[in-house]
Amino acid sequence: MSDRTHTSHPDIEKVLLTERQIKARIAELGAQISRDYSGRCLTMVSVLKGSVIVLGDLMRSVSGDCCVDFIGVSSYTGTKSSGVVRLTLDLRENPEGKDILIVEDIVDTGLTLHYLLENFKTRGPRSVETCSFLNKPSCRKVSVPVKYVGFDIPNEFVVGFGLDHNERFRNLPYVGVMRSNGGK
Ligand code: 5GP
């Protein structure tokens, strides 16, 4: 596992979070979630596509009973949010009566998470909580509760560890800031 804070990737300006930092923090979140949901079956809902990498590590660090489902939403084109959130894929299982943990890659304006929370309210889960790998608190347009936060980061467009730019860079094992002319 790498703790390198430099990258030779031509599109990445700097490494913001190293692989080692990320793994350590996800393990902490997993331990906290395990304690909070002790004795209950948790359903993690991964918001596609950005959260799938963090989901894999998070699920494996949760010790209790845990199921997974996926939901797809879209609001971004390139590096800009359109402000209009749309469902691109619905859950496979009915969330009614379940303890749901929404797992996001990043909360920026908050519009996506707000949309999802409103959506879940109408579907009768036993509980709904939220987890986001990254959080940009300075960018909020709507206030949303994020119970489990991996890292608060500044207002920069980041890629890697699941996060993309036009579908690229999800496979980077770290989180990096893209060069302003990157991804061309
Ligand atoms: P929000 O609705 O909170 O503005 O944004 C949520 C979605 O926007 C995220 O799930 C993610 O897909 C995208 N997003 C927001 N900020 C960034 C960023 O810095 N990098 C990347 N790659 N995606 C972002």
Side-chain angles (χ1 to χ4, degrees), residues 18-78:
T18 68
E19 197 177 351
R20 189 173 296 181
Q21 284 176 307
I22 294 169
K23 299 270 167 158
R25 182 67 188 126
I26 293 176
E28 283 175 3
L29 284 180
Q32 191 185 346
I33 291 167
S34 304
R35 284 193 297 275
D36 292 353
Y37 287 88
S38 167
R40 289 193 278 163
C41 176
L42 170 65
T43 299
M44 289 191 181
V45 173
S46 166
V47 184
L48 294 173
K49 300 173 189 167
S51 74
V52 290
I53 307 284
V54 72
L55 176 87
D57 283 351
L58 190 62
M59 273 198 91
R60 282 176 297 167
S61 55
V62 167
S63 52
D65 207 3
C66 181
C67 300
V68 68
D69 206 344
F70 297 91
I71 198 162
V73 284
S74 159
S75 66
Y76 258 63
T77 316

Side-chain angles (χ1 to χ4, degrees), residues 107-115 139-142 144:
V107 179
D108 181 13
T109 62
L111 291 169
T112 305
L113 196 55
H114 177 74
Y115 172 91
C139 299
R140 283 297 191 283
K141 287 190 178 156
V142 53
V144 279

Side-chain angles (χ1 to χ4, degrees), residues 47-51 73-76 78-83 85 104-115 132 134 136 139-142 144 153-160 162-166 168-170 176 178:
V47 184
L48 294 173
K49 300 173 189 167
S51 74
V73 284
S74 159
S75 66
Y76 258 63
T79 61
K80 294 271 176 305
S81 168
S82 67
V85 184
E104 265 276 28
D105 55 354
I106 186 165
V107 179
D108 181 13
T109 62
L111 291 169
T112 305
L113 196 55
H114 177 74
Y115 172 91
S132 186
L134 303 176
K136 286 187 197 168
C139 299
R140 283 297 191 283
K141 287 190 178 156
V142 53
V144 279
I153 63 166
N155 183 16
E156 291 181 295
F157 191 80
V158 293
V159 292
L163 289 106
D164 76 312
H165 176 252
N166 292 338
R168 293 179 57 206
F169 310 114
R170 293 192 198 276
M178 211 175 68

